[in-house]
């Protein structure tokens, strides 16, 4: 940094300290500017939270949510992308129904109904894929672009304006000790930055109809999804009702048990004057000492040869890095989730939202719920 740049940084820092500590008055911006700045700040917060909630609404599963966020739709023309790359819950349910329907066979009313329902669930999954892609292209991506470009650019102009204001106020306070030309240049730069910031904020607020259009695209995509879903479910409901009518019209088959075959026990041996007696059961050493409890296998219950080594679990994660301890066993139900047992020490790598973490255990990475663990070393803020 040049000497002039260092001097300017010193001026800004001195003016900021005098305002914060000494109560010095700085140049006041007009009320219209402050009102515009407030509206832009509210818009920025709204867009950021709506984006996060929309993605969570589309995919509650954090693993699928991460894949949806990484889905690149800029280079993919609409119609070429058939699925977003993760399974929908409706599709998983449909596959389960079809598998068990086939196992029950065609003679089972329940099996045939499961096949019908499974096919409908798979169609619902395809419609849900279309909804995710449509919302990603026409709602999430445009709002994300607004955050990454327009709002970020406005924040840059406002930060630059604040720096030039501090520089101008410092020199204005020392008028007479600082050359008039330097003071004039500082004032011109301040006015220039104020005009640029005002223009960028004005353009954003005046074109907010674009955000209304994007919100309309979200609603249209939801309407289309629900219309198709209603049609699919109506067709399924009609099929199931038809199956119930057909089943009730058929004559019921009565259950007729097979006749029992006579049990031939043979002639009992008589050794006490003609009276039969029950044969005493044979007691062996192995049967007299049986226990209902299964023996526990310990290292001492098998012979150890020279050179044998015990298979020990890997050491827990060191506590000098973000980590947590499992309070309960967690069995993963979706792709991308991390399973663990009570007492495991898991290394924390990321926090997805207020309910889910991402971590590593035994060389595997995945997502898991916060309610199953106790945080030992929190992630850095």
């Amino acid at each position: 940094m040049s000497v002039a740049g260092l001097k300017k940084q010193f001026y800004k820092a001195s003016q900021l300290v005098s305002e914060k500590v000494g109560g010095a008055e700085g140049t006041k911006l007009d009320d219209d500017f402050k009102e515009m700045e407030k509206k832009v700040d509210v818009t920025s917060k709204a867009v950021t939270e709506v984006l996060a909630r929309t993605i969570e609404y589309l995919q509650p599963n954090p693993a699928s949510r991460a894949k949806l966020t990484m889905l690149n739709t800029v280079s993919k023309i609409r119609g070429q992308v058939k699925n977003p790359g993760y399974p929908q819950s409706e599709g998983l349910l449909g596959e389960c129904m079809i598998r068990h329907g086939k196992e029950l066979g065609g003679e089972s009313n329940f099996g045939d109904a499961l096949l019908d329902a499974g096919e409908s669930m798979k169609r619902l999954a395809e419609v849900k894929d279309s909804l995710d892609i449509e919302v990603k292209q026409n709602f999430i991506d445009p709002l994300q672009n607004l955050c990454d470009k327009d709002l970020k650019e406005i924040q840059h102009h406002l930060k630059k304006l604040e720096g030039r204001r501090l520089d101008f106020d410092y020199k204005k306070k020392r008028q007479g000790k600082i050359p008039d030309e330097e003071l004039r240049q500082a004032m011109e730069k301040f006015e220039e930055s104020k005009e640029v910031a005002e223009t960028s904020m004005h353009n954003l607020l005046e074109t907010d109809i674009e955000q209304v259009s994007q919100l309309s695209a979200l609603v249209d995509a939801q309407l289309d999804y629900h219309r198709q879903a209603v049609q699919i479910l109506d067709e399924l409901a009609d099929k199931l009702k038809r199956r119930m009518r057909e089943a009730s019209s058929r004559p019921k088959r009565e259950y007729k048990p097979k006749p029992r075959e006579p049990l031939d026990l043979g002639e009992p041996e008589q050794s006490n004057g003609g009276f039969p007696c029950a044969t005493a059961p044979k007691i062996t050493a192995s049967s007299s000492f049986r226990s209902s409890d299964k023996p526990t296998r310990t290292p001492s219950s098998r012979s150890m040869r020279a050179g044998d080594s015990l298979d020990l679990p890997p050491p827990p994660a060191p506590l000098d890095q973000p980590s947590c301890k499992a309070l309960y066993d967690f069995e993963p139900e979706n792709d991308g989730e991390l399973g663990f047992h009570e007492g495991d020490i898991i290394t924390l790598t990321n926090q997805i939202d207020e309910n889910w973490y991402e971590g590593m255990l035994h060389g595997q990475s995945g997502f898991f719920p916060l309610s199953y663990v106790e945080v030992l070393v929190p992630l850095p803020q």
Side-chain angles (χ1 to χ4, degrees):
M1 184 180 292
S2 63
V3 177
L6 287 172
K7 286 174 62 179
K8 186 174 290 186
Q9 293 298 325
F10 174 75
Y11 294 162
K12 293 177 185 179
S14 299
Q15 180 64 23
L16 183 62
V17 170
S18 63
E19 289 179 5
K20 297 293 183 183
V21 180
E25 287 285 337
T27 300
K28 298 293 184 182
L29 298 168
D30 56 84
D31 292 339
D32 290 340
F33 186 94
K34 290 181 179 178
E35 183 66 22
M36 199 180 298
E37 187 177 6
K38 182 180 178 181
K39 288 181 179 179
V40 169
D41 183 57
V42 173
T43 301
S44 177
K45 291 178 180 177
V47 169
T48 301
E49 186 166 359
V50 167
L51 268 175
R53 295 300 180 185
T54 302
I55 296 173
E56 187 176 347
Y57 154 74
L58 290 176
Q59 281 303 325
N61 180 4
S64 300
R65 193 155 66 237
K67 291 180 181 178
L68 175 63
T69 306
M70 293 184 293
L71 179 64
N72 181 15
T73 58
V74 176
S75 60
K76 297 177 180 178
I77 304 174
R78 180 181 175 183
Q80 291 182 345
V81 185
K82 294 185 178 180
N83 61 75
Y86 48 81
Q88 301 287 359
S89 55
E90 295 88 346
L92 297 175
L93 175 59
E95 291 174 0
C96 170
M97 288 179 169
I98 290 173
R99 183 174 67 254
H100 291 293
K102 290 179 178 179
E103 289 177 355
L104 288 170
E107 296 181 357
S108 167
N109 291 321
F110 184 40
D112 289 339
L114 280 177
L115 291 174
D116 291 339
E119 291 296 337
S120 297
M121 290 297 129
K122 291 181 70 175
R123 288 173 60 194
L124 282 176
E126 294 175 358
V127 176
K128 187 63 166 57
D129 284 343
S130 300
L131 171 67
D132 287 1
I133 295 171
E134 188 80 15
V135 173
K136 182 70 168 62
Q137 289 176 334
N138 299 323
F139 184 70
I140 295 176
D141 284 351
L143 286 186
Q144 190 64 55
N145 186 62
L146 181 69
C147 284
D148 295 341
K149 291 185 178 179
D150 297 350
L151 290 172
K152 188 175 289 185
E153 182 181 343
I154 290 174
Q155 292 303 318
H156 168 74
H157 291 321
L158 290 174
K159 185 177 180 181
K160 192 172 184 179
L161 172 63
E162 178 64 10
R164 288 185 170 181
R165 183 195 68 77
L166 291 171
D167 181 61
F168 169 62
D169 285 344
Y170 178 85
K171 292 175 180 176
K172 184 172 65 172
K173 189 169 60 176
R174 285 158 181 77
Q175 190 173 6
K177 300 179 181 179
I178 292 179
D180 292 341
E181 178 63 22
E182 191 173 339
L183 179 60
R184 185 184 63 80
Q185 289 179 357
M187 183 180 65
E188 288 178 353
K189 287 183 178 180
F190 168 67
E191 293 292 341
E192 177 188 349
S193 288
K194 180 174 178 291
E195 184 177 349
V196 171
E198 276 182 326
T199 303
S200 61
M201 290 191 295
H202 174 80
N203 291 339
L204 174 73
L205 297 175
E206 286 298 312
T207 57
D208 62 349
I209 192 64
E210 294 180 7
Q211 283 77 62
V212 178
S213 173
Q214 292 149 11
L215 188 59
S216 176
L218 169 65
V219 175
D220 288 342
Q222 289 175 302
L223 276 173
D224 187 49
Y225 164 72
H226 287 294
R227 285 193 194 102
Q228 294 185 62
V230 167
Q231 181 181 354
I232 293 170
L233 292 175
D234 278 342
E235 293 174 1
L236 175 60
D238 290 341
K239 286 183 180 179
L240 296 178
K241 289 176 182 177
R242 187 166 58 251
R243 288 192 180 279
M244 287 189 291
R245 287 195 300 269
E246 292 174 355
S248 61
S249 63
R250 294 195 207 104
K252 293 184 179 180
R253 294 179 298 177
E254 295 184 4
Y255 172 70
K256 295 181 179 180
K258 296 180 180 179
R260 298 181 180 180
E261 296 182 0
L263 183 63
D264 185 11
L265 300 178
E267 293 294 330
E269 295 181 2
Q270 299 178 1
S271 57
N272 56 350
F275 292 96
C277 65
T279 308
K282 294 183 179 180
I283 300 177
T284 62
S286 60
S287 62
S288 61
F289 291 99
R290 287 183 60 186
S291 170
S292 60
D293 297 327
K294 295 182 179 179
T296 20
R297 183 175 181 182
T298 62
S300 60
S301 64
R302 60 175 183 177
S303 58
M304 299 288 291
R305 297 192 300 268
D308 286 353
S309 61
L310 291 173
D311 293 332
L312 297 176
L319 295 183
D320 59 349
Q321 58 181 329
S323 56
C324 61
K325 181 179 180 181
L327 300 176
Y328 319 99
D329 292 352
F330 177 65
E331 295 293 334
E333 298 180 354
N334 300 291
D335 292 340
E337 293 180 349
L338 178 67
F340 49 75
H341 297 288
E342 179 182 354
D344 285 347
I345 303 297
I346 307 162
T347 303
L348 297 176
T349 57
N350 188 23
Q351 183 169 1
I352 303 301
D353 53 29
E354 63 270 16
N355 298 317
W356 288 81
Y357 272 120
E358 182 179 9
M360 292 189 66
L361 178 65
H362 305 333
Q364 294 185 345
S365 176
F367 305 96
F368 56 89
L370 174 60
S371 57
Y372 278 67
V373 300
E374 175 189 3
V375 177
L376 303 177
V377 180
L379 287 162
Q381 297 294 329

